[in-house]
Amino acid sequence: MMDPEHQYYPTRTGSVTWEENREHGATYCHAYPCNDLPPTQSHALLLHLHLHRSNTSHGCRGRLHRRPRRRHYHLPVKVQKLPYLTHHLPNLKTFPNPLDRNHYYHPSDGFYISHSDVILRQITYDLSGTFPTPPPHLAYHRAGPRKQIFFDPSITSVAIVTCGGLCPGLNTVIRELVVGLWELYGIRQIYGIIAGYRGFSSFEPMALNPKLVEDWHKRGGSVLESSRGGFDLEKIVNAIRDREFNQVETEQCVEQSKYSTSRRWKLNVSIAGIPKTADNDVGIIDRPFGFQTAVEMAQQAISAAHVEAESAVNGIGLVELMGRSTGHIALYATLRSRDVDCYLIPENEFYLEGKGGLFEFLENRLEHNGHAVLVVAEGAGQDMIPRTDAQKKETDESGNPVFLDVSRWQKSELKSWWDKEHPGELVTIKYIDPTYMIRAVPANATDNLYCTLLAHSAIRGVMAAYTGFVSGPINGNYGYIPVVEVAEAKNPVSTMNHKWAWVRSHINQPDFCKEVDAQFLNVLCPQES
């Protein structure tokens, strides 16, 4: 019989007991096993937290040992429902996983993932009782190999497509998908779709094999070619039917959420997305592939801007980095560089002229240092740039608003302001935009490894008959997230957390808030009397 001290609340998916012994400063997590559930059900899990509080007396020869007092917390967890082929094809046949016969693998207890293995989206909690009880916490199915698969490798046909703009790591993902499907699961019919979504109906697919893609990870861009737009669901579904594809692997973009509607045709086709955007603007997952490489390559542009600024009278190096809606690349590049004096991102408003504005800040930096480096995310200050009505309505092939060149505009405005405020004085502004240099490079070592893990997670998900999902790490553990959630989730830079304060303190940058930062600016760069 279980110790009453360790009672737990059984649910349909099991339960977890978490114990914190405050006397010894230790935390214990007790997980109680449960029966596997079919993935067609949406699960609810209850975390039962026990916090020990010891009343043991210290400081005397004879201790008085009392039974620890416990505080109980119940944290309900909702497991997100994941699309599954058996939802509309209940009689699918299963097959043993080929990894059982793969001489490189030795499956043992715990090797295969079950449907009850989940990952918590939130892993930090406030157990003080000060705040209201939080809503049910979300959890996602864990990525990994399953004991049974739903596709016969001998007749399975797979399509791989890249869409949207270029990103470091595209070719690595393609390579790892091909090698993983071929070597781990014995699939021989693997095809690359040329030129993005439109390639389903416009071009003959390219047959892929491990020998062909052997060195693709060393190349930038996309060997399969990529394009924006071109999404025609009916044409894509017809092509999938005609070519008898069973799986479609795509470097995920927002339009991929439309793929989920293909289930209305009741096709035996599993769709998986792999998160691709160097901007790091995808929510839920820890990061997409390409981000680490983008930050690393941005260092070269910042270093060049710093050299140019140092080598000129009143030199200003102006670097524009990728980041339409978020400033993660600019933020992390600033932290790693140590040469940046100011960085601007879409999440934080700023103004140019006036007390405490950007131009006054740069003026003080030039006065005290003789030079300055400014990093700007492409989406920062877009609402400040004058536009015609036609420009306001202009969109690219993916439907995104066309941005104007914020750095060129800032350079022009800064030069005009300087000539007005400092007539006859020299100022040198060097503008660098490394966007296409960053997009076109091969992935670095970190992203190359990351692409392998993402690709293998996606393969194992589609072989298990999951569909309409994106594979990616959540708090360091790989899971499967419904693509609709990923398409809607955002990942803005928070200007209210410790990281934002850390970056500002790192480079001594004000918030450019008219009411506060005029005084802050005087502290950073006091005027000489």
Side-chain angles (χ1 to χ4, degrees), residues 163-170 173 228 251-254 274-283 285-295 322-326 328-329 378 438-439 447 450-451 454 470 486 489 491:
C163 58
L166 297 182
C167 178
L170 277 174
V173 170
R228 298 187 185 276
E251 278 79 7
Q252 180 264 340
C253 57
V254 173
I274 297 177
K276 179 218 72 166
T277 167
D279 292 359
N280 194 23
D281 56 0
V282 176
I285 65 171
D286 295 349
R287 73 177 191 278
F289 73 83
F291 174 68
Q292 295 281 13
T293 305
V295 172
M322 294 182 293
R324 292 180 58 88
S325 58
T326 64
H328 289 285
I329 294 179
E378 61 180 313
I438 293 174
R439 289 173 13 134
D447 269 326
Y450 185 45
C451 288
L454 289 173
V470 170
V486 176
N491 183 34

Side-chain angles (χ1 to χ4, degrees), residues 119 140-144 287 449-450 453-454 457 471-474 476-480:
I119 301 168
Y140 298 92
H141 289 285
R142 187 178 164 200
R287 73 177 191 278
L449 173 59
Y450 185 45
L453 298 175
L454 289 173
S457 295
S471 64
I474 306 169
N477 296 287
Y478 287 76
Y480 300 135

